[in-house]
Structure formats: C-alpha cells, structure tokens
Amino acid sequence: MRDVVLWAASLVRQFPELADELAPGRTAPAGSAARAPHPGRDELIRAERREALLLEQRHGLAVPGHGAAPIRLHVSDAIRDITDGVVELEEAVCARLGLPRPRRAGVVERLRRVVGLLDEIAGHPVLARHVRDEIRRMARRCARTLGEAETVVRVSGRCPWCDSVSLRAFPDRRAVLCVNPACVCTDEACGCQDDPAYRHLWAEEEWAELADASGARTEEIEAAMDDTKETSQ
C-alpha cells in the first residue's frame, strides 16, 4: 500500500501537466517565411478542434491556447487511457468493498478517494495487487508521455535481503529500492513475492533501519533524495 501512495502522488502531480502537452507552440522563428497552407489544413483544424472539445467535455482538460495548433494525439491517447483507467479502478474498488457507485469527478479527485480507501483495500489481497499494478502502470505512462525519466541515485551498502550492491534512491518517490531482479524479501505481503516487476521498497520512515542493516548512512540516503541527476541503475 505504501507503493500505491507513492505512485498515486506521482500521478496526481503529473496528470494535469498532460493538458499543457496537448498542443505544441506555433510560433515561427523570426524572419521565416510563412508556408503555404496544406491542402487538407481546414479539415484537419476542424477535426483537431472537435478533439479538443471532446477532451474538455469528457475529461475536464482544456487545451491551453488551442486554436489551429495541432493536437499531439499520443498525449490525447494517454489522457483517455489514464482517465478511463482511473474511473474503472475506482468503480471496481467500490464494487468489491460493497460501497455505492462513486460520484463523477476528475482524475485527481478520484485518485485521492481511492487512496482514502487503502485501509479497506489492504484487506483484499487480490484487489490490493490490482490497485497497485494499475496505478503504477498509469503513473509510468503519464511520465513517459511527458518525456520524464525517473531519477535514480546509487546508495552505498548492501541490500539486507539479497546482499547485492543494488540499493538505489528514487527521489520522485522519496524511497529506496533494491533493483536486483532476483531479490525477494521474507515479507509475504510485499509485492516482490509475486510480481517480477516489483522491487522491495523502503519508505522514509524506514531509512534509519535500512542504514543500520545495509551499511549505508542515513545522511547519504537523505542527500540522495535531493539529487536531480539521473544515474544508471
């Protein structure tokens, strides 16, 4: 559930930025000659305006300064996928927990409502894994669409579980992970037990314990969280 909170926070922060990426700037370089209109330009503009209106009506996202600027369809697709995914996820959670169908709301509000139900979700292991996997998938797609690579910073010491020098700090999530694919801890509730894509995670309140067990220093971990340079895993 801690991982769900971290991924959800990332998605809440980044999803609104997709609206800014829908339409690229149209400003031409100074002194450049205007190009002749494309033969199908008028129809393309009409189609793009319909797309912008649909996005605003269905997802509550207005394209900033949209006029004749082309819409980035891969961004539009990501918005639709994430919006539909969050709606379906919240409805599935409410259905499984026996709650009324959730009220209509935007992506950010729906995510916050799902996070508010994590204590109840934790009592249903299959549902909990589904929530974790879906929010992680959508957060990663959002980040990829924005062209953002997650910062990774090396941390000294050895993983307490696999004894590998594979500890990495992820400042965006304020967490330390073991990136060794073969690492599996002894906590039966941890995602690394049944999900090859999952990595054991130490949240901020566990850094001191991790430092004692791994040979790293708490100060080093805290400093790594402020590092803005991406390093190799």
Side-chain angles (χ1 to χ4, degrees), residues 54-90:
L54 180 63
L55 286 167
E56 184 167 4
Q57 290 174 337
R58 289 188 58 190
H59 310 296
L61 287 174
V63 183
H66 176 73
I71 286 178
R72 291 171 171 161
L73 293 181
H74 74 287
V75 179
S76 170
D77 289 343
I79 290 173
R80 290 185 179 189
D81 173 49
I82 294 169
T83 302
D84 292 344
V86 170
V87 171
E88 292 170 5
L89 181 64
E90 186 183 25

Side-chain angles (χ1 to χ4, degrees), residues 26 32-42:
R26 297 272 296 181
S32 60
R35 292 183 297 177
H38 187 277
R41 179 176 179 273
D42 290 343

Side-chain angles (χ1 to χ4, degrees), residues 3-4 7 125 128-137 140 177-178 180-185 187-200:
D3 209 32
V4 173
W7 284 117
R129 284 195 294 271
H130 176 65
V131 170
R132 178 198 68 198
D133 293 345
E134 274 298 287
I135 292 183
R136 179 179 61 193
R137 178 190 68 80
R140 284 176 168 170
L177 281 71
C178 175
N180 176 13
C183 181
V184 178
C185 73
D187 182 359
E188 294 183 358
C190 183
C192 68
Q193 295 280 330
D194 57 11
D195 184 352
Y198 189 88
R199 300 290 180 265
H200 189 84

Side-chain angles (χ1 to χ4, degrees), residues 154-226:
R154 292 180 181 274
V155 175
S156 64
R158 291 183 174 274
C159 172
W161 300 116
C162 66
D163 201 38
S164 296
V165 286
S166 51
L167 296 176
R168 303 291 184 271
F170 289 75
D172 290 348
R173 288 183 262 175
R174 290 196 65 76
V176 178
L177 281 71
C178 175
V179 298
N180 176 13
C183 181
V184 178
C185 73
T186 59
D187 182 359
E188 294 183 358
C190 183
C192 68
Q193 295 280 330
D194 57 11
D195 184 352
Y198 189 88
R199 300 290 180 265
H200 189 84
L201 176 150
W202 289 267
E204 188 166 1
E205 62 271 17
E206 299 171 310
W207 292 349
E209 178 183 347
L210 172 63
D212 290 340
S214 67
R217 293 178 297 107
T218 305
E219 296 82 1
E220 177 195 3
I221 296 174
E222 292 173 348
M225 295 302 165
D226 296 325

